[in-house]
């Protein structure tokens, strides 16, 4: 079976949080640049080397607070990923470029952006990879809303999205855990598996909540899943190794050129 090593990571725009008080004491780092941010991103890139495909949340696409560095591109280059993509969901001009990011060692056949229901600023980016059985593996990177009403509508949107892709990975910051009725309903309606209540990612300094998830459709096999002890954000990264069905392989491995 051909395998794929996945990682989902909310990097909080490169801000290293160590305790709840940091949200107040270091709130200025969400607006202004700081030298620690780039050093932190470099350490994150060192982790990414061992994965085939990475989904990023709360990554800045190049603004004042990131010293005008596109953090998706920076992590792609320092993590040696030939293919990368940014989805800017909340564009505050020179002040912040809130984004989802994709880093991949395989070249996607197609990339599609989806705006999620609710207030502007939440989205899903879907990368499709060609398979040998003329199907595609769709990998969706997402960041759902904090409010439960908007999040419920967004989970319902994901049900519709899942029905379009027989081979699907949903990965990202869902902002809800196993106690969420909306999340459990989405999993039940789509038949996705991989929901594990013991994989707690938040807060990184004392993880008690499973807000980050990697869910896969039934034809895909979950080989292993774990929370990575790499506390460089307020979330810990979540990794999963999946296997394609017997006899199914990726059709191409692409060439070393950026998507951007």
């Amino acid at each position: 079976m051909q395998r794929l090593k996945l990682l989902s990571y909310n990097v909080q725009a490169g801000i290293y949080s160590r305790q709840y008080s940091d949200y107040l004491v270091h709130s200025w780092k969400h607006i202004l640049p700081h030298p620690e941010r780039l050093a932190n991103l470099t350490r994150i890139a060192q982790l990414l080397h061992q994965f085939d495909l990475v989904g990023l949340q709360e990554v800045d696409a190049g603004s004042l607070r990131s010293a005008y560095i596109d953090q998706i591109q920076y992590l792609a280059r320092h993590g040696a990923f030939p293919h990368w993509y940014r989805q800017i969901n909340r564009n505050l001009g020179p002040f912040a470029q809130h984004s989802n990011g994709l880093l991949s060692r395989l070249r996607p056949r197609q990339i599609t952006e989806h705006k999620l229901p609710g207030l502007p600023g939440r989205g899903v980016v879907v990368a499709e990879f060609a398979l040998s059985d003329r199907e595609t593996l769709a990998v969706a990177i997402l960041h759902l809303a904090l409010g439960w009403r908007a999040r419920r509508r967004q989970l319902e949107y994901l049900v519709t999205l899942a029905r379009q892709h027989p081979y699907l990975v949903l990965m990202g910051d869902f902002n809800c855990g196993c106690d969420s009725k909306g999340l459990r309903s989405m999993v039940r309606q789509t038949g996705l598996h991989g929901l594990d209540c013991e994989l707690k990612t938040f807060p990184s300094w004392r993880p008690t909540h499973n807000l980050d998830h990697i869910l896969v459709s039934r034809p895909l096999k979950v080989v292993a899943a774990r929370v990575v002890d790499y506390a460089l954000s307020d979330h810990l990264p979540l990794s999963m190794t999946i296997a394609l069905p017997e006899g199914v392989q990726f059709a191409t491995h692409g060439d070393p050129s950026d998507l951007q």
Side-chain angles (χ1 to χ4, degrees):
M1 292 185 180
Q2 191 163 7
R3 297 184 176 188
L4 192 67
K5 296 182 69 175
L6 308 170
L7 187 80
S8 180
Y9 202 176
N10 181 324
V11 299
Q12 199 186 200
I15 300 171
Y16 183 11
S17 294
R18 302 162 181 84
Q19 55 194 355
Y20 279 115
S21 62
D22 285 352
Y23 288 125
L24 177 62
V25 175
H26 298 299
S27 59
W28 62 272
K29 292 181 181 179
H30 289 273
I31 303 171
L32 298 173
H34 187 269
E36 181 191 66
R37 192 189 310 266
L38 197 59
N40 202 38
L41 285 174
T42 301
R43 290 193 291 268
I44 291 173
Q46 292 170 357
L47 168 70
L48 304 185
H49 274 278
Q50 60 190 284
F51 296 95
D52 301 310
L53 193 146
V54 176
L56 302 168
Q57 306 86 46
E58 288 194 31
V59 61
D60 194 281
S63 66
L64 174 64
R65 65 176 181 167
S66 67
Y68 299 102
I69 292 171
D70 185 329
Q71 295 180 338
I72 303 98
Q73 183 184 46
Y74 184 90
L75 289 171
R77 288 180 175 171
H78 287 262
F81 287 89
H83 310 294
W84 58 276
Y85 189 86
R86 69 169 82 85
Q87 180 193 29
I88 300 174
N89 291 307
R90 191 178 297 123
N91 189 343
L92 301 181
F95 302 106
Q97 300 279 321
H98 300 274
S99 307
N100 291 329
L102 163 75
L103 311 178
S104 178
R105 305 202 184 283
L106 296 170
R107 183 177 182 84
R109 189 178 76 177
Q110 179 174 304
I111 301 266
T112 308
E113 294 189 13
H114 299 258
K115 298 299 182 184
L116 288 170
L119 294 174
R122 302 292 181 178
V124 183
V125 57
V126 181
E128 296 181 52
F129 301 88
L131 299 176
S132 58
D133 63 352
R134 298 185 181 180
E135 292 285 356
T136 61
L137 171 67
V139 178
I141 298 161
L142 57 91
H143 191 182
L144 302 188
L146 288 168
W148 69 268
R149 287 184 178 86
R151 193 168 58 242
R152 182 176 60 187
R153 293 174 59 199
Q154 292 167 3
L155 288 164
E156 291 170 353
Y157 184 93
L158 294 179
V159 173
T160 303
L161 181 66
R163 288 171 177 163
Q164 301 171 22
H165 301 285
Y167 298 110
L168 175 67
V169 175
L170 285 182
M171 59 192 299
D173 182 354
F174 285 70
N175 266 315
C176 60
C178 291
D179 57 346
S180 165
K181 293 181 180 178
L183 178 60
R184 294 201 307 269
S185 175
M186 187 273 287
V187 169
R188 183 173 60 253
Q189 291 181 69
T190 59
L192 295 171
H193 65 121
L195 184 64
D196 188 335
C197 302
E198 298 305 313
L199 297 177
K200 296 177 172 61
T201 56
F202 182 86
S204 59
W205 53 89
R206 190 178 300 166
T208 54
H209 301 285
N210 59 325
L211 304 184
D212 302 272
H213 307 283
I214 303 178
L215 307 173
V216 302
S217 54
R218 286 293 169 186
L220 302 172
K221 179 182 178 181
V222 176
V223 177
R226 68 185 181 97
V227 175
V228 183
D229 186 12
Y230 211 71
L232 295 174
S233 169
D234 59 344
H235 288 243
L236 291 174
L238 179 64
S239 78
M240 179 179 285
T241 301
I242 63 172
L244 298 178
E246 194 70 45
V248 177
Q249 296 184 344
F250 290 103
T252 61
H253 291 269
D255 53 48
S257 58
D258 287 342
L259 291 171
Q260 295 292 341

